[in-house]
């Protein structure tokens, strides 16, 4: 239920999904009133945040009315009437998928992709899509198609990316449920910089289409419990994803864990990316260190995880993805190619002259990274690290160092766990003196998504009172 003293009319946009389901069941609130409250929040905040694409309030209200009727008939679906958003690159029927770039044709998607389909089937009211940068290849809200997305905690700062709008929307209270995608940090970075919870699940845990190596979809919410509610739906099977895991009916809402005796590694040095002006920020270091001490006080055994990412691994990853991006961008007409964000064009063009041997070597370095991540973490139940060496940076920049020749310096803590299939979450660790959120990454063993959720919930409990969500 809502916190004591909440005005149910003015604050419905800030209720969690769990609170909304309880209120609907008691018939003390309605999906229509909640949807109207969230629409009002969006209309008030969106001129400053620019987090949304294809916002459709009239369709959302029709869906809310249908949800209200189901609740009144006693036929409610598992997530009936909870408002949410879907990242732009997850197809929703009838909406174009520009992938953040002005160079793509705006053809309506014929069907919902699996994550959107599962949420819609279970009654989630899809308010809008959320913004992303060109081709999803930036940790930024900078796009040649969408307006510049901004961070609700400080609108001069970046929300992160590539799930840029999703992170901003979750922090701003555009409904409780949001879903992003991640191939190198694209859920965890915006979650960390926007102060929300984001889960990059094990590879294949949530069916997705199109599926390719390292790509996952995952929930972005204000609470771990809300993400667990989403996981019950998102993990249902879909034959369109030939790389998905066999379905398991896991106890997503069982979030209790005994910390005592757990072996927890702490990785303060990712091995790369701390040069070029991206040294580990002192306030980030202090927050992660404080989290490790809190787990130690709860009875965990804390040990250091030595750095394992090498320059060769990161450069190989860069070569592979540059060439992959150039396959798309290089195939465009000159007129269309000119529409691509200049930073992305300059980065991708670096793949133009790579030989087949160089691209293969780059892909091989991704496998080397995978093996190194599993070897470095195998003796631990969980590993803690920063999500990023830095906090949110200027909104107008494509990356913290804004250099297409060194684009991945800030993802050294996150990308390895895409390659290794391991689940990893970002949960708020605290704030800088300037009021910017700091993300704590919690990494689990392969396929232990439940464990990562439980550890994240334990940290939510241990960290104490949170700051109020940003208001405009």
């Amino acid at each position: 239920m809502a916190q004591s003293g909440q005005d149910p009319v003015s604050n419905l946009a800030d209720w969690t999904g769990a609170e909304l389901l309880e209120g609907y069941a008691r018939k003390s609130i309605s999906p229509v009133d909640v949807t109207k409250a969230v629409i009002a929040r969006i209309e008030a905040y969106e001129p400053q945040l620019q987090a949304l694409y294809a916002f459709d309030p009239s369709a959302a209200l029709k869906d809310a009315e249908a949800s209200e009727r189901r609740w009144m008939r006693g036929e409610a679906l598992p997530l009936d009437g909870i408002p949410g958003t879907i990242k732009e690159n997850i197809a929703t029927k009838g909406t174009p998928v520009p992938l953040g770039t002005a160079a793509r044709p705006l053809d309506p998607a014929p069907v919902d992709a699996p994550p959107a389909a599962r949420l819609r089937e279970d009654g989630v009211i899809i308010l809008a899509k959320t913004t992303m940068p060109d081709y999803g290849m930036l940790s930024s809200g900078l796009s040649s198609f969408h307006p510049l997305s901004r961070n609700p905690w400080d609108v001069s700062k970046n929300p992160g990316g590539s799930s840029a709008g999703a992170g901003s929307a979750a922090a701003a209270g555009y409904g409780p449920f949001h879903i992003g995608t991640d191939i190198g940090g694209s859920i965890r970075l915006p979650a960390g910089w926007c102060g929300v919870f984001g889960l990059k699940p094990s590879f294949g845990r949530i069916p997705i289409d199109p599926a390719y190596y390292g790509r996952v979809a995952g929930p972005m919410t204000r609470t771990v419990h809300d993400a667990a509610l989403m996981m019950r739906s998102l993990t249902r099977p879909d034959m369109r994803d030939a790389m998905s895991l066999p379905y398991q009916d896991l106890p997503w809402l069982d979030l209790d864990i005994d910390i005592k005796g757990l072996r927890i590694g702490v990785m303060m040095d990712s091995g790369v990316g701390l040069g070029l002006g991206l040294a580990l920020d002192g306030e980030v270091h202090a927050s992660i260190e404080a989290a490790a001490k809190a787990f130690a006080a709860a009875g965990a055994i804390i040990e250091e995880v030595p750095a394992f990412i090498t320059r060769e691994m990161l450069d190989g990853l860069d070569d592979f993805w540059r060439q992959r991006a150039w396959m798309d961008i290089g195939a465009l007409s000159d007129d269309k190619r000119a529409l691509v964000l200049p930073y992305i064009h300059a980065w991708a063009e670096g793949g133009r002259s790579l030989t087949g041997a160089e691209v293969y070597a780059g892909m091989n370095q991704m496998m080397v990274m995978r093996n190194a991540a599993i070897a470095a973490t195998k003796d631990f139940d969980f590993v803690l690290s920063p999500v990023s060496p830095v906090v949110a940076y200027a909104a107008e920049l494509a990356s913290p160092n804004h250099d297409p020749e060194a684009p991945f310096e800030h993802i050294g803590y996150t990308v390895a766990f895409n390659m290794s299939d391991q689940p990893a979450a970002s949960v708020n660790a605290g704030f800088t003196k300037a009021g910017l959120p700091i993300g704590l990454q919690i990494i689990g063993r392969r396929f232990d998504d439940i464990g990562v959720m439980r550890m994240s919930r334990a940290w939510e409990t241990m960290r104490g009172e949170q700051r109020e969500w940003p208001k405009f």
Side-chain angles (χ1 to χ4, degrees):
M1 198 38 215
Q3 296 175 1
S4 176
Q6 274 192 346
D7 177 346
V9 175
S10 63
N11 289 298
L12 283 174
D14 291 313
W15 286 29
T16 67
E19 289 170 341
L20 292 179
L21 291 176
E22 184 181 340
Y24 296 157
R26 290 197 338 266
K27 297 183 172 56
S28 61
I29 56 173
S30 83
V32 172
D33 288 340
V34 169
T35 302
K36 286 180 178 178
V38 175
I39 290 170
R41 170 68 57 82
I42 290 169
E43 289 174 344
Y45 288 14
E46 188 61 3
Q48 297 182 73
L49 298 181
Q50 302 290 347
L52 300 185
Y53 161 64
F55 175 43
D56 192 345
S58 60
L61 284 170
K62 288 180 182 177
D63 288 344
E65 290 165 359
S67 174
E68 184 173 76
R69 290 192 294 270
R70 288 192 293 270
W71 278 104
M72 296 303 292
R73 294 195 305 263
E75 299 174 354
L77 301 166
L79 301 176
D80 223 331
I82 299 177
T85 69
I86 309 286
K87 187 177 177 181
E88 184 249 278
N89 65 344
I90 298 173
T92 52
K93 184 177 180 180
T95 304
V97 185
L99 299 182
T101 180
R104 289 257 302 179
L106 296 179
D107 300 325
V111 295
D112 286 342
R118 298 297 86 77
L119 294 183
R120 204 189 299 273
E121 289 163 1
D122 283 357
V124 171
I125 297 167
I126 298 175
L127 291 155
K129 309 298 287 290
T130 48
T131 60
M132 60 183 282
D134 287 53
Y135 298 99
M137 293 308 300
L138 292 178
S139 303
S140 164
L142 192 61
S143 164
S144 64
F145 179 79
H146 303 294
L148 179 62
S149 301
R150 295 179 180 272
N151 192 316
W153 295 96
D154 180 345
V155 294
S156 73
K157 304 297 183 185
N158 207 292
S162 64
S163 304
S168 183
Y174 290 8
F177 287 176
H178 309 273
I179 185 164
T181 62
D182 192 315
I183 59 170
S186 289
I187 288 172
R188 289 156 290 164
L189 290 162
W193 289 331
C194 291
V196 301
F197 176 73
L199 174 68
K200 182 208 77 67
S202 297
F203 180 71
R205 179 69 69 197
I206 294 174
I208 195 167
D209 181 35
Y212 49 81
Y213 185 56
R215 186 186 191 218
V216 301
M220 300 177 71
T221 57
R222 285 181 169 186
T223 69
V224 176
H225 188 269
D226 271 4
L229 286 171
M230 293 180 72
M231 290 297 287
R232 290 193 306 177
S233 299
L234 291 168
T235 55
R236 289 204 305 273
D238 193 303
M239 294 305 293
R240 288 175 287 176
D241 185 351
M243 302 175 78
S244 60
L245 296 172
Y247 173 70
Q248 291 179 281
D249 186 13
L250 297 173
W252 292 108
L253 299 183
D254 179 3
L255 294 173
D256 293 331
I257 190 170
D258 185 0
I259 302 298
K260 190 173 182 180
L262 290 178
R263 291 192 66 191
I264 298 178
V266 179
M267 185 176 74
M268 285 295 192
D269 182 357
S270 69
V272 293
L274 301 187
L276 301 177
L278 290 182
L280 180 60
D281 180 273
E283 290 181 281
V284 173
H285 185 284
S287 287
I288 307 310
E289 187 174 57
K293 288 179 178 178
F295 280 110
I301 301 163
I302 305 295
E303 300 177 35
E304 179 185 356
V305 177
F308 63 87
I309 302 295
T310 66
R311 171 53 54 189
E312 290 76 17
M313 294 177 195
L314 204 65
D315 287 348
L317 177 101
D318 186 16
D319 282 348
F320 177 84
W321 282 107
R322 281 180 195 251
Q323 197 276 339
R324 174 64 185 85
W326 186 252
M327 285 180 63
D328 290 331
I329 295 170
L332 298 172
S333 67
D334 290 344
D335 289 347
K336 287 291 186 182
R337 197 179 307 128
L339 298 176
V340 175
L341 192 74
Y343 181 103
I344 289 294
H345 185 282
W347 168 74
E349 196 165 22
R352 184 176 192 171
S353 60
L354 291 171
T355 66
E358 288 170 326
V359 175
Y360 178 81
M363 186 173 184
N364 187 59
Q365 282 299 319
M366 292 159 62
M367 297 301 293
V368 172
M369 185 186 295
R370 170 194 181 91
N371 294 336
I374 292 172
T377 60
K378 66 180 175 61
D379 294 329
F380 300 101
D381 296 299
F382 301 96
V383 171
L384 309 179
S385 82
V387 170
S388 167
V390 296
V391 293
Y393 53 96
E396 295 78 12
L397 301 183
S399 64
N401 58 336
H402 201 67
D403 181 359
E405 292 308 308
F408 295 147
E409 303 305 304
H410 59 291
I411 67 171
Y413 291 105
T414 54
V415 68
F417 305 109
N418 293 80
M419 301 302 104
S420 68
D421 302 345
Q422 291 170 261
S426 175
V427 60
N428 181 246
F431 293 82
T432 66
K433 291 178 181 177
L436 294 174
I438 296 168
L440 167 68
Q441 184 173 217
I442 300 176
I443 304 131
R445 290 175 174 162
R446 294 177 74 208
F447 315 127
D448 187 19
D449 304 72
I450 290 282
V452 169
M453 298 281 281
R454 289 171 176 166
M455 280 286 288
S456 299
R457 175 63 187 134
W459 172 245
E460 271 187 339
T461 303
M462 293 161 62
R463 73 186 175 194
E465 190 73 18
Q466 279 286 88
R467 296 190 182 196
E468 288 189 11
W469 294 101
K471 302 290 183 188
F472 294 97

mmCIF file of all heavy atoms in Angstrom, residues 69-83:
data_model
loop_
_atom_site.group_PDB
_atom_site.id
_atom_site.type_symbol
_atom_site.label_atom_id
_atom_site.label_comp_id
_atom_site.label_asym_id
_atom_site.label_seq_id
_atom_site.Cartn_x
_atom_site.Cartn_y
_atom_site.Cartn_z
ATOM 1 N N ARG A 69 -12.471 -2.815 -16.006
ATOM 2 C CA ARG A 69 -13.600 -3.744 -16.148
ATOM 3 C C ARG A 69 -13.209 -5.160 -15.715
ATOM 4 O O ARG A 69 -13.999 -5.856 -15.065
ATOM 5 C CB ARG A 69 -14.101 -3.739 -17.595
ATOM 6 C CG ARG A 69 -14.807 -2.436 -17.994
ATOM 7 C CD ARG A 69 -15.530 -2.572 -19.326
ATOM 8 N NE ARG A 69 -14.629 -2.767 -20.456
ATOM 9 C CZ ARG A 69 -14.119 -1.767 -21.170
ATOM 10 N NH1 ARG A 69 -14.408 -0.503 -20.866
ATOM 11 N NH2 ARG A 69 -13.332 -2.025 -22.199
ATOM 12 N N ARG A 70 -11.984 -5.581 -16.060
ATOM 13 C CA ARG A 70 -11.541 -6.916 -15.638
ATOM 14 C C ARG A 70 -11.445 -7.009 -14.123
ATOM 15 O O ARG A 70 -11.845 -8.010 -13.525
ATOM 16 C CB ARG A 70 -10.195 -7.256 -16.291
ATOM 17 C CG ARG A 70 -10.294 -7.546 -17.777
ATOM 18 C CD ARG A 70 -9.014 -8.154 -18.323
ATOM 19 N NE ARG A 70 -7.892 -7.234 -18.295
ATOM 20 C CZ ARG A 70 -7.560 -6.393 -19.280
ATOM 21 N NH1 ARG A 70 -8.304 -6.339 -20.380
ATOM 22 N NH2 ARG A 70 -6.517 -5.604 -19.172
ATOM 23 N N TRP A 71 -10.912 -5.960 -13.489
ATOM 24 C CA TRP A 71 -10.842 -5.964 -12.029
ATOM 25 C C TRP A 71 -12.239 -6.024 -11.408
ATOM 26 O O TRP A 71 -12.470 -6.760 -10.443
ATOM 27 C CB TRP A 71 -10.099 -4.723 -11.531
ATOM 28 C CG TRP A 71 -8.599 -4.853 -11.578
ATOM 29 C CD1 TRP A 71 -7.747 -4.296 -12.474
ATOM 30 C CD2 TRP A 71 -7.778 -5.607 -10.670
ATOM 31 N NE1 TRP A 71 -6.446 -4.645 -12.201
ATOM 32 C CE2 TRP A 71 -6.433 -5.444 -11.089
ATOM 33 C CE3 TRP A 71 -8.042 -6.384 -9.549
ATOM 34 C CZ2 TRP A 71 -5.360 -6.036 -10.422
ATOM 35 C CZ3 TRP A 71 -6.980 -6.988 -8.875
ATOM 36 C CH2 TRP A 71 -5.659 -6.811 -9.315
ATOM 37 N N MET A 72 -13.177 -5.298 -11.959
ATOM 38 C CA MET A 72 -14.540 -5.290 -11.418
ATOM 39 C C MET A 72 -15.226 -6.640 -11.601
ATOM 40 O O MET A 72 -16.053 -7.042 -10.774
ATOM 41 C CB MET A 72 -15.366 -4.185 -12.089
ATOM 42 C CG MET A 72 -14.871 -2.770 -11.820
ATOM 43 S SD MET A 72 -14.788 -2.361 -10.053
ATOM 44 C CE MET A 72 -16.547 -2.336 -9.653
ATOM 45 N N ARG A 73 -14.903 -7.369 -12.665
ATOM 46 C CA ARG A 73 -15.498 -8.680 -12.912
ATOM 47 C C ARG A 73 -14.775 -9.800 -12.181
ATOM 48 O O ARG A 73 -15.198 -10.960 -12.248
ATOM 49 C CB ARG A 73 -15.466 -9.005 -14.419
ATOM 50 C CG ARG A 73 -16.334 -8.120 -15.289
ATOM 51 C CD ARG A 73 -16.515 -8.736 -16.682
ATOM 52 N NE ARG A 73 -15.249 -9.025 -17.336
ATOM 53 C CZ ARG A 73 -14.656 -8.233 -18.233
ATOM 54 N NH1 ARG A 73 -15.221 -7.062 -18.553
ATOM 55 N NH2 ARG A 73 -13.515 -8.584 -18.791
ATOM 56 N N GLY A 74 -13.673 -9.488 -11.515
ATOM 57 C CA GLY A 74 -12.889 -10.527 -10.865
ATOM 58 C C GLY A 74 -12.076 -11.358 -11.837
ATOM 59 O O GLY A 74 -11.744 -12.511 -11.554
ATOM 60 N N GLU A 75 -11.707 -10.755 -12.981
ATOM 61 C CA GLU A 75 -10.974 -11.472 -14.025
ATOM 62 C C GLU A 75 -9.628 -10.812 -14.309
ATOM 63 O O GLU A 75 -9.110 -10.850 -15.431
ATOM 64 C CB GLU A 75 -11.807 -11.514 -15.311
ATOM 65 C CG GLU A 75 -13.142 -12.241 -15.143
ATOM 66 C CD GLU A 75 -14.014 -12.141 -16.378
ATOM 67 O OE1 GLU A 75 -13.630 -11.416 -17.335
ATOM 68 O OE2 GLU A 75 -15.078 -12.781 -16.390
ATOM 69 N N ALA A 76 -9.022 -10.214 -13.300
ATOM 70 C CA ALA A 76 -7.781 -9.458 -13.505
ATOM 71 C C ALA A 76 -6.636 -10.368 -13.940
ATOM 72 O O ALA A 76 -6.501 -11.509 -13.472
ATOM 73 C CB ALA A 76 -7.397 -8.718 -12.227
ATOM 74 N N LEU A 77 -5.816 -9.844 -14.820
ATOM 75 C CA LEU A 77 -4.602 -10.512 -15.268
ATOM 76 C C LEU A 77 -3.475 -10.278 -14.254
ATOM 77 O O LEU A 77 -3.601 -9.417 -13.367
ATOM 78 C CB LEU A 77 -4.215 -9.981 -16.651
ATOM 79 C CG LEU A 77 -5.280 -10.180 -17.731
ATOM 80 C CD1 LEU A 77 -4.963 -9.334 -18.965
ATOM 81 C CD2 LEU A 77 -5.395 -11.654 -18.095
ATOM 82 N N PRO A 78 -2.366 -11.013 -14.332
ATOM 83 C CA PRO A 78 -1.340 -10.924 -13.282
ATOM 84 C C PRO A 78 -0.781 -9.526 -13.019
ATOM 85 O O PRO A 78 -0.448 -9.194 -11.874
ATOM 86 C CB PRO A 78 -0.247 -11.873 -13.785
ATOM 87 C CG PRO A 78 -0.981 -12.880 -14.607
ATOM 88 C CD PRO A 78 -2.085 -12.111 -15.274
ATOM 89 N N LEU A 79 -0.662 -8.699 -14.052
ATOM 90 C CA LEU A 79 -0.109 -7.343 -13.883
ATOM 91 C C LEU A 79 -1.111 -6.297 -14.340
ATOM 92 O O LEU A 79 -0.738 -5.194 -14.763
ATOM 93 C CB LEU A 79 1.202 -7.211 -14.679
ATOM 94 C CG LEU A 79 2.319 -8.193 -14.312
ATOM 95 C CD1 LEU A 79 3.514 -8.029 -15.242
ATOM 96 C CD2 LEU A 79 2.749 -8.035 -12.863
ATOM 97 N N ASP A 80 -2.372 -6.594 -14.210
ATOM 98 C CA ASP A 80 -3.421 -5.789 -14.812
ATOM 99 C C ASP A 80 -3.428 -4.352 -14.306
ATOM 100 O O ASP A 80 -3.483 -4.100 -13.096
ATOM 101 C CB ASP A 80 -4.783 -6.425 -14.558
ATOM 102 C CG ASP A 80 -5.671 -6.396 -15.789
ATOM 103 O OD1 ASP A 80 -5.522 -5.469 -16.612
ATOM 104 O OD2 ASP A 80 -6.511 -7.299 -15.929
ATOM 105 N N GLY A 81 -3.355 -3.415 -15.246
ATOM 106 C CA GLY A 81 -3.520 -2.004 -14.931
ATOM 107 C C GLY A 81 -2.267 -1.289 -14.487
ATOM 108 O O GLY A 81 -2.337 -0.117 -14.100
ATOM 109 N N ILE A 82 -1.109 -1.948 -14.547
ATOM 110 C CA ILE A 82 0.136 -1.279 -14.157
ATOM 111 C C ILE A 82 0.713 -0.570 -15.382
ATOM 112 O O ILE A 82 1.003 -1.210 -16.394
ATOM 113 C CB ILE A 82 1.158 -2.277 -13.593
ATOM 114 C CG1 ILE A 82 0.590 -2.966 -12.346
ATOM 115 C CG2 ILE A 82 2.470 -1.566 -13.263
ATOM 116 C CD1 ILE A 82 1.508 -4.015 -11.762
ATOM 117 N N PRO A 83 0.896 0.748 -15.338
ATOM 118 C CA PRO A 83 1.456 1.465 -16.483
ATOM 119 C C PRO A 83 2.947 1.194 -16.647
ATOM 120 O O PRO A 83 3.671 0.979 -15.659
ATOM 121 C CB PRO A 83 1.215 2.943 -16.143
ATOM 122 C CG PRO A 83 0.216 2.932 -15.038
ATOM 123 C CD PRO A 83 0.452 1.670 -14.281
#
